[in-house]
Amino acid sequence: AEVYGTVIQSLRETRAKRLTQQEKLDIIQDYRSDPQMTLKECAKKYGTSVKNISRWQKELIDAKLIAADDTTE
């Protein structure tokens, strides 16, 4: 949880900066690890859009960094 707090703080401080693949992976892993979290809640938590979360998840699946069968929405 501490890692995600650091990611959240970093996102809030530098909204315009592009996220690294690792930062996107951390966000998607956080989303997937909480079955109660919706895409909308995840997007709000990290200060981004639902569209971005969905796109990052697809990119990570296509890059074979996460499994396709773990998607929840």
Side-chain angles (χ1 to χ4, degrees):
E2 188 173 311
V3 171
Y4 300 120
T6 304
V7 171
I8 292 170
Q9 185 61 35
S10 174
L11 286 174
R12 288 184 179 146
E13 291 171 358
T14 58
R15 289 231 188 244
K17 111 176 174 61
R18 294 180 63 100
L19 298 181
T20 65
Q21 189 174 50
Q22 183 60 54
E23 288 169 325
K24 292 175 186 178
L25 182 60
D26 289 343
I27 291 168
I28 298 303
Q29 286 176 330
D30 183 34
Y31 165 61
R32 289 177 160 212
S33 71
D34 183 354
Q36 302 301 314
M37 186 184 300
T38 66
L39 275 172
K40 187 174 181 179
E41 290 167 339
C42 183
K44 183 176 180 181
K45 179 177 180 178
Y46 290 101
T48 191
S49 69
V50 169
K51 183 177 178 179
N52 281 339
I53 299 291
S54 296
R55 185 169 34 93
W56 298 340
Q57 185 166 241
K58 182 182 182 321
E59 288 171 2
L60 293 167
I61 290 168
D62 291 348
K64 301 195 182 326
L65 295 174
I66 56 174
D69 59 353
D70 290 343
T71 56
T72 57
E73 288 190 81

